[in-house]
Amino acid sequence: ACYNNSGDIGMNSCDGFTACRVNSANIGVMVMTEGEGEAAGSCISDEKTSDDVPEGDPFVGVCLFNKGDIGDGSCQGLASCSDNEGTISNDACLEAFACFSNRGAVSDDACDGVESCRGNDGFIGPASCEGKLSCEGNQNRIEEKSCIGKNACHMNTAIVRVESCIGDFACSDNSLDAEENGIEISSLSCQGFYACSMIATNIGINSCIGDYSCQLASSEIGDGSCMGLFSCFINSGPIANGSCRSDITKCDEVEGDCTRYLGACLSQSGEIGNGSCVGENSCCSNTGDIPDNNCLEPDSCSNCFEE
């Protein structure tokens, strides 16, 4: 451990086979102030000797070749924070490969999960990116308590605001043009299994709530819209505020095959005004313009037909 190190190593830190080798930054807490407990230590793995390394497996020590300052209680697990160049705060990057090859700033209590922020190149806010591969390959800004779930923001390129992208695959693999085009997922949005996966548009505040609610959406969605299972799945027309809503939000609330559920604005391509399209199948496959406060009953303006 600490072979060829040129940085300052804090208390209880760099504990593991090859830990902190060729490190060039500050790791952990150097001095405790009166009244504080013992430092947790950073850059710690269960692999203490060569005998602990699985035979035949490639091994990368924790915090190996690290170039970024790391706070206390961070970088726990095999290869976590190795090849890191970003600043990592306290109690962050937990589990194997959590911040491997990280290039962005990681806040307190963030990146908790195997490969959770591997290859990250953006800002990660406090208590964000929880779950396996949750923010792997992220390229943009993720704010507080966001991207919670397996692959939640995998390969994300959009700005993700507070408490958004909650659920497995919630905002995974969105548009490669999102960063360039300024695509933004607003606060309290994209909550559900695949809720905003593979999108290419802006999402308003408290919108896209439900499994598959806005997956593959390509046209702008306003505030408080697309609430419900498949509510705006494959949407390609602009949707204003408070529209495209139904009561059922999760697949397990549907009897039988949930993929046959007709969301409020599933596959619609027209322009929908404020407060419209309320209820299951209310505007499914719509192609025309719907003014404010219209289509307020299930099946009322649908072009879909249940078998």
Side-chain angles (χ1 to χ4, degrees):
C2 302
Y3 172 79
N4 203 21
N5 167 68
S6 59
D8 292 334
I9 305 297
M11 290 175 281
N12 301 323
S13 293
C14 299
D15 181 6
F17 184 59
T18 73
C20 305
R21 282 193 175 188
V22 201
N23 167 65
S24 58
N26 298 327
I27 294 174
V29 175
M30 311 304 159
V31 178
M32 300 299 292
T33 59
E34 186 177 353
E36 289 185 329
E38 186 176 358
S42 291
C43 301
I44 298 170
S45 69
D46 292 335
E47 294 78 17
K48 307 301 184 188
T49 71
S50 58
D51 293 334
D52 298 326
V53 180
E55 186 176 356
D57 287 352
F59 180 80
V60 182
V62 62
C63 299
L64 185 70
F65 297 107
N66 171 62
K67 297 179 182 178
D69 288 347
I70 296 171
D72 189 38
S74 294
C75 305
Q76 313 279 328
L78 175 67
S80 182
C81 306
S82 287
D83 190 37
N84 167 63
E85 294 184 8
T87 300
I88 295 172
S89 294
N90 302 316
D91 302 311
C93 304
L94 310 179
E95 301 291 344
F97 289 91
C99 293
F100 182 83
S101 293
N102 170 63
R103 299 292 182 265
V106 176
S107 304
D108 292 349
D109 303 304
C111 303
D112 184 357
V114 175
E115 299 182 272
S116 51
C117 295
R118 181 171 185 163
N120 167 61
D121 197 20
F123 170 81
I124 306 293
S128 289
C129 302
E130 179 181 329
K132 184 177 181 180
L133 298 168
S134 52
C135 297
E136 184 193 26
N138 169 61
Q139 299 295 308
N140 213 322
R141 181 179 180 85
I142 294 173
E143 296 187 350
E144 186 175 4
K145 296 180 180 178
S146 293
C147 302
I148 310 299
K150 179 181 177 182
N151 290 77
C153 293
H154 177 262
M155 303 304 292
N156 169 65
T157 55
I159 296 171
V160 177
R161 298 300 185 190
V162 176
E163 294 186 43
S164 290
C165 302
I166 311 297
D168 291 352
F169 300 92
C171 298
S172 64
D173 303 296
N174 54 32
S175 171
L176 294 176
D177 298 325
E179 185 174 15
E180 179 182 344
N181 296 337
I183 288 176
E184 181 174 322
I185 295 170
S186 300
S187 299
L188 306 172
S189 292
C190 300
Q191 299 183 12
F193 188 62
Y194 281 98
C196 294
S197 175
M198 295 180 280
I199 63 167
T201 187
N202 294 325
I203 306 295
I205 298 170
N206 193 33
S207 291
C208 302
I209 309 299
D211 294 347
Y212 308 99
S213 50
C214 296
Q215 187 180 18
L216 293 166
S218 59
S219 190
E220 191 154 344
I221 293 168
D223 298 339
S225 291
C226 303
M227 314 282 278
L229 177 65
F230 288 107
S231 52
C232 298
F233 181 73
I234 320 182
N235 170 65
S236 59
I239 295 171
N241 301 327
S243 294
C244 302
R245 296 176 289 123
S246 62
D247 294 334
I248 291 176
T249 61
K250 296 184 178 297
C251 263
D252 58 15
E253 297 174 21
V254 178
E255 293 185 8
D257 183 4
C258 80
T259 63
R260 303 175 71 84
Y261 182 86
L262 298 177
C265 297
L266 185 149
S267 194
Q268 86 86 28
S269 57
E271 182 172 349
I272 296 176
N274 296 299
S276 293
C277 302
V278 178
E280 179 184 349
N281 193 31
S282 52
C283 297
C284 181
S285 289
N286 166 66
T287 57
D289 294 345
I290 295 176
D292 295 350
N293 303 312
N294 269 266
C295 308
L296 303 181
E297 298 290 337
D299 311 318
S300 52
C301 300
S302 175
N303 287 323
C304 295
F305 299 93
E306 297 181 81
E307 295 180 1

